[in-house]
Amino acid sequence: MSTKRPVKPADAAAASAKPRAAERIRSMARELFYREGIRAIGVEEIVSRAGVTKPSLYRSYASKDELAAEYLRDYEAEFWKRFEAGAETHPGDPRAQLLAYFRGLAERAVRPGYRGCGLTNAVVEYPGNEHPARKVSQTHKRKLRARLVEMSEAMGAKSPATLADGLLLLLEGTYVSGQLFDRDGPARSLVAVAEQLINSSTR
Amino acid sequence: MSTKRPVKPADAAAASAKPRAAERIRSMARELFYREGIRAIGVEEIVSRAGVTKPSLYRSYASKDELAAEYLRDYEAEFWKRFEAGAETHPGDPRAQLLAYFRGLAERAVRPGYRGCGLTNAVVEYPGNEHPARKVSQTHKRKLRARLVEMSEAMGAKSPATLADGLLLLLEGTYVSGQLFDRDGPARSLVAVAEQLINSSTR
DNA sequence: TGACGATGTTACCGATCGGTACGTATGATT
DNA sequence: AATCATACGTACCGATCGGTAACATCGTCA
């Protein structure tokens, strides 16, 4: 089975691991879709800036919509990595874990050019329920909500569902407010408000 | 001076007040831009569904972007009407005024097909700082934030700026969450969380 | 070496985008 | 009746949209 594949993957450990066209497209789509929005970016711009051409895109992705969905799957993976990063630095302390993410988010959200959450933005861009990107986003947000309920329970909330909802509203509000205000936006108060909410929700 | 103008405006009090092409375009643009998004709607669809043609649009509006900005100005006017509606039913009680709006919003936000705030959505659709619609939105949000600080002061908040930021984050979070979740979304907890936040912020 | 599958290219498709040149109907004024 | 500005429609523009057919090139294995 080791000889079944070409040699390239074998020496991927070497420094010669060249990026495939599909991967270049994928990473360029990720960057452009996030920064400019999915509707704003044409496939031609993606492939040209990736140094390839359109057929290379359509060999690996069924359509632009599917590429957008793929971008969101990548985005989601990165989100969870960031979100769960606090679990290592604050083991067994869900409150500290959550606030660690909130702190990082508040910092990013007041920086100029902040673009919020790619998954949330995609849903705003595509109101209809048909788009594949929408399903990725909605599934993710349900997962996030469930995770917040877990953490609220672990924090000893009187009403975990309500606290989780409140935290989620603050999160989404921060994502979008970061795009509405240049600096000194309401995101600067995120951590203080979240702490206040958690404190008055836990016994 | 009564003979200076044509007779039509004079009998506007009568039932024959016909809508101008510009007004039909304006109202159709408002509906379509809000429900489907600005980028998703072409000018052809607007004018055809308004029963007019494109030149009629460009006679009254310099460009699609300007029409979008006009739509947002209309949207903002309606927003303030809704937002300040509580001032009449609860005079001198900023807390009740605010919560009245929150209650109405929470109700709308969990209804299927909810599309959030048109002003917020426009900023997500146009990340670049060049679009005229963006300026309308950003100006409005700054005004809203200032109004929330006023009301927070009137409620006797220990830190009016922080409370206002928290309330704004909850608002924006509700606008966008309403699009992310079908029903039973986090917006259902909006009023409870807002009350909790206000209670723990006022002396 | 010869065949093959994967990957790349050039050149093109119909549809739709935002926007406009130009002719026409209307309706009040002189 | 002649006039003239306003308001509207027909028909079209070049550009760009997402997507594809057909051909060239490469590395791999029989």
Side-chain angles (χ1 to χ4, degrees):
Chain A
M1 54 172 70
S2 65
T3 60
K4 187 103 179 252
R5 285 305 222 149
V7 286
K8 271 286 164 54
D11 58 11
S16 70
K18 287 186 187 174
R20 274 250 166 304
E23 282 309 312
R24 305 211 55 197
I25 291 168
R26 189 195 186 101
S27 105
M28 187 58 67
R30 220 206 85 91
E31 180 184 338
L32 293 178
F33 280 159
Y34 178 67
R35 279 195 358 222
E36 308 285 339
I38 298 171
R39 289 198 120 112
I41 294 296
V43 293
E44 179 58 43
E45 185 161 359
I46 295 176
V47 296
S48 75
R49 292 182 60 166
V52 297
T53 52
K54 277 196 274 188
S56 291
L57 192 162
Y58 286 97
R59 256 190 288 270
S60 301
Y61 306 96
S63 63
K64 182 196 177 183
D65 291 356
E66 272 306 323
L67 176 60
E70 195 68 13
Y71 141 62
L72 290 183
R73 280 186 278 270
D74 286 359
Y75 187 93
E76 189 192 4
E78 280 191 28
F79 169 84
W80 284 117
K81 219 164 56 183
R82 251 206 286 242
F83 188 82
E84 301 292 359
E88 304 171 358
T89 52
H90 304 281
D93 187 349
R95 189 190 139 110
Q97 290 168 18
L98 195 63
L99 288 176
Y101 173 74
F102 274 45
R103 242 181 294 273
L105 170 61
E107 197 178 306
R108 292 193 299 274
V110 295
R111 279 208 281 260
Y114 178 68
R115 263 292 281 170
C117 172
L119 294 142
T120 300
N121 294 348
V123 169
V124 174
E125 281 200 90
Y126 293 95
N129 283 36
E130 71 287 348
H131 203 283
R134 225 189 133 84
K135 293 188 192 107
V136 177
S137 292
Q138 286 182 321
T139 303
H140 163 73
K141 293 299 180 182
R142 273 196 290 270
K143 221 181 303 180
L144 173 58
R145 195 186 189 191
R147 183 78 182 93
L148 287 173
V149 172
E150 275 181 19
M151 296 177 85
S152 295
E153 285 169 347
M155 285 188 279
K158 283 169 282 194
S159 171
T162 305
L163 176 55
D165 283 351
L167 293 171
L168 187 50
L169 291 179
L170 290 178
L171 274 187
E172 296 295 339
T174 303
Y175 293 146
V176 70
S177 292
Q179 304 175 68
L180 288 166
F181 295 87
D182 313 271
R183 52 198 150 288
D184 298 330
R188 70 178 175 190
S189 305
L190 172 64
V191 174
V193 171
E195 281 179 331
Q196 195 175 335
L197 187 62
I198 294 172
N199 289 345
S200 64
S201 298
T202 52
R203 37 188 140 231
Chain B
M1 58 169 69
S2 65
T3 59
K4 185 109 179 239
R5 286 304 223 149
V7 286
K8 270 288 165 51
D11 56 10
S16 70
K18 287 187 185 174
R20 275 239 167 306
E23 281 310 311
R24 306 212 53 197
I25 290 168
R26 189 197 186 99
S27 104
M28 187 58 69
R30 219 207 86 93
E31 181 184 336
L32 293 179
F33 279 160
Y34 178 67
R35 277 190 6 216
E36 308 286 339
I38 298 171
R39 290 199 117 112
I41 295 295
V43 293
E44 178 58 41
E45 185 160 1
I46 296 176
V47 295
S48 76
R49 293 181 60 164
V52 297
T53 53
K54 276 196 275 186
S56 290
L57 192 160
Y58 287 97
R59 246 172 252 120
S60 301
Y61 306 95
S63 63
K64 182 195 177 185
D65 291 354
E66 271 306 323
L67 176 61
E70 194 69 13
Y71 142 61
L72 290 183
R73 279 185 279 270
D74 286 359
Y75 186 93
E76 188 193 5
E78 281 191 28
F79 169 85
W80 284 117
K81 220 164 56 183
R82 251 207 286 243
F83 187 84
E84 301 292 358
E88 304 170 358
T89 52
H90 304 281
D93 187 349
R95 189 190 139 111
Q97 291 169 17
L98 195 62
L99 286 175
Y101 173 75
F102 273 46
R103 243 183 295 273
L105 169 61
E107 197 178 305
R108 291 193 300 276
V110 296
R111 281 208 281 261
Y114 178 69
R115 262 292 280 172
C117 171
L119 295 142
T120 301
N121 294 348
V123 169
V124 174
E125 281 200 90
Y126 294 94
N129 282 37
E130 70 287 351
H131 203 283
R134 228 190 129 86
K135 292 186 193 112
V136 177
S137 293
Q138 286 181 322
T139 302
H140 163 73
K141 293 300 179 182
R142 272 195 292 268
K143 221 181 301 180
L144 173 58
R145 194 186 190 192
R147 183 79 183 91
L148 287 173
V149 172
E150 275 182 20
M151 297 178 84
S152 295
E153 284 167 349
M155 285 188 280
K158 283 169 283 193
S159 171
T162 304
L163 177 56
D165 283 350
L167 293 171
L168 186 51
L169 291 179
L170 290 177
L171 273 187
E172 295 295 340
T174 303
Y175 293 146
V176 70
S177 292
Q179 304 175 67
L180 289 166
F181 296 86
D182 313 271
R183 53 200 150 288
D184 297 330
R188 70 178 176 190
S189 304
L190 172 64
V191 175
V193 171
E195 282 179 330
Q196 196 175 334
L197 187 62
I198 294 171
N199 289 345
S200 63
S201 298
T202 53
R203 39 189 140 233

